[in-house]
Amino acid sequence: MKNLHIPAICIHAYGGPEQLQLEEVPVPVPAKDEVLLKVVASGVNPIDWKLREGLMQHPLPYIPGIEGAGIVTAVGEGVFGFKIGDEVYGSIDGSYAAYAIAPVEVMFRKPAFITFEEAATLAGARTAWGALFDIANLTKGQRILIQGAAGGVGHFAVQMAYNTGAYVIATASEENADFLLSLGANEVIDYKAAPFETQIEPVDIVLDAVGGEITDRSLAVLKPEGVLVALVNMPSPNKAEAAGVRALWGGTKTIASMKAVHELLERELIRPYVRRVFQPLSAAAAAQEYSQQGGTGKGKIVLKIHED
Ligand SMILES: NC(=O)c1ccc[n+]([C@@H]2O[C@H](COP(=O)([O-])OP(=O)(O)OC[C@H]3O[C@@H](n4cnc5c(N)ncnc54)[C@H](OP(=O)(O)O)[C@@H]3O)[C@@H](O)[C@H]2O)c1
């Protein structure tokens, strides 16, 4: 295995999509408590292009991608519970590659009833779970506004809030309204038709998966002592204080949130939706451009690397 090379997308310098270079790299070797995966599908997250642009720092060079789904092809020392041939998904640093290694503690068995593409999208669910339950402490009967509800994080947040018995208000383009109602939203607000502030009654919690001006504007729809959980940027502390509400950062990542999401998935209490699949690996630049352009859609973008 050590002398073999595999295709992988490599980034040597920050910049545009042209920085995503398809190269041959040595096949990684799993260390203790790690597995080697044949990556069937990689999730394409907004953070992938933000890192590529240098908006957040990442040591160079690197292979992009933070999550995926695939088949175990080798196990490191001390690995129990996974064997060669197992179908798994989870957090994989460097998932834009034909093969990648990952620690077993962030690997989960792919349920047979979902596809590899669907299983490659669960990072958004982990973010949603952490924001709703670790940070906002969402409980039954509360009113929650989910900004960016049709996206990779939002569509999971809607399902989780519905399961909890919250009253769920979702912002989305008109064409995504039926999708979000089917996931459990009580109201869908077309943010393009009129300012969302003019369309809803006050809420206990806002989950902001949009950012920009939406973050500060979201303060206005909170009840006194309400909580804004921000995933993209924090509002001005002065504005939050002046509005009499709390603003918290929602980007928590814990093993506990991954386990909670896996349990919801196995119990079919959440379902992943794939917006669009790009393939093969050389389509990575097109996939990131599509993510970066925004645009309307339902669920998550996926890069398909191998046939199942
Ligand atoms: N801090 C963290 O740990 C963390 C983790 C994950 C994600 N994030 C960030 O959260 C953001 C969302 O991630 P994602 O994966 O969900 O992105 P995504 O899948 O690209 O979601 C984009 C969605 O945002 C919606 N949207 C755009 N402008 C809107 C507006 N003004 N009001 C309401 N909805 C709007 C669009 O909905 P329509 O199609 O309905 O128009 C689109 O479907 C990204 O900036 C990402 O970097 C942060």
Side-chain angles (χ1 to χ4, degrees):
M1 292 287 271
K2 277 183 184 159
N3 295 325
L4 291 179
H5 282 67
I6 53 151
I9 300 293
C10 299
I11 294 181
H12 294 271
Y14 298 131
E18 72 283 356
Q19 297 299 338
L20 298 165
Q21 304 282 336
L22 182 60
E23 298 178 4
E24 293 283 318
V25 301
V27 64
V29 178
K32 187 172 184 306
D33 298 325
E34 290 179 342
V35 291
L36 175 69
L37 305 174
K38 176 175 145 182
V39 184
V40 176
S42 170
V44 176
N45 288 278
I47 195 170
D48 298 347
W49 62 259
K50 292 180 183 181
L51 287 169
R52 187 205 70 220
E53 296 261 345
L55 303 177
M56 298 168 201
Q57 296 297 300
H58 193 295
L60 296 167
Y62 71 98
I63 299 172
I66 61 165
E67 67 167 328
I71 299 165
V72 176
T73 54
V75 298
E77 184 198 332
V79 170
F80 299 100
F82 291 106
K83 61 181 188 318
I84 292 171
D86 283 350
E87 298 182 351
V88 297
Y89 76 93
S91 292
I92 306 172
D93 272 338
S95 57
Y96 286 29
Y99 290 80
I101 52 172
V104 282
E105 66 174 357
V106 292
M107 282 294 105
F108 296 87
R109 215 167 279 280
K110 180 182 83 61
F113 56 83
I114 64 169
T115 64
F116 283 101
E117 290 96 320
E118 290 168 338
T121 71
L122 274 297
R126 294 190 278 275
T127 300
W129 197 92
L132 295 181
F133 303 113
D134 284 340
I135 306 298
N137 297 316
L138 177 71
T139 54
K140 184 176 177 177
Q142 286 188 307
R143 289 169 58 84
I144 181 168
L145 170 65
I146 298 170
Q147 300 275 24
V153 175
H155 82 286
F156 286 116
V158 169
Q159 296 177 71
M160 291 173 187
Y162 166 78
N163 293 338
T164 307
Y167 186 89
V168 183
I169 306 169
T171 55
S173 295
E174 187 185 10
E175 52 267 45
N176 294 331
D178 287 345
F179 168 61
L180 292 167
L181 291 170
S182 78
L183 298 184
N186 297 89
E187 293 176 39
V188 181
I189 304 297
D190 177 359
Y191 65 89
K192 293 173 181 167
F196 67 86
E197 302 94 313
T198 65
Q199 302 187 64
I200 63 171
E201 297 298 315
V203 297
D204 299 287
I205 295 167
V206 177
L207 175 62
D208 174 24
V210 175
E213 57 157 21
I214 298 300
T215 307
D216 278 352
R217 283 173 51 196
S218 293
L219 297 172
V221 300
L222 282 165
K223 294 178 184 175
E225 304 295 319
V227 180
L228 169 68
V229 183
L231 291 176
V232 187
N233 50 268
M234 282 295 286
S236 128
N238 291 344
K239 286 183 180 169
E241 195 180 338
V245 301
R246 290 185 298 145
L248 304 171
W249 182 242
T252 59
K253 306 272 185 302
T254 63
I255 303 283
S257 69
M258 299 181 74
K259 288 182 175 166
V261 164
H262 184 64
E263 192 183 325
L264 292 177
L265 187 66
E266 283 196 311
R267 293 171 61 201
E268 298 188 60
L269 290 172
I270 53 168
R271 183 175 160 197
Y273 286 80
V274 175
R275 174 185 304 201
R276 184 162 163 190
V277 177
F278 288 80
Q279 58 186 345
L281 184 56
S282 56
Q288 285 200 0
E289 277 185 292
Y290 180 72
S291 169
Q292 193 167 359
Q293 281 159 6
T296 187
K298 303 172 179 62
K300 185 74 167 272
I301 303 161
V302 168
L303 182 61
K304 183 100 184 258
I305 297 169
H306 284 109
E307 290 306 319
D308 308 8

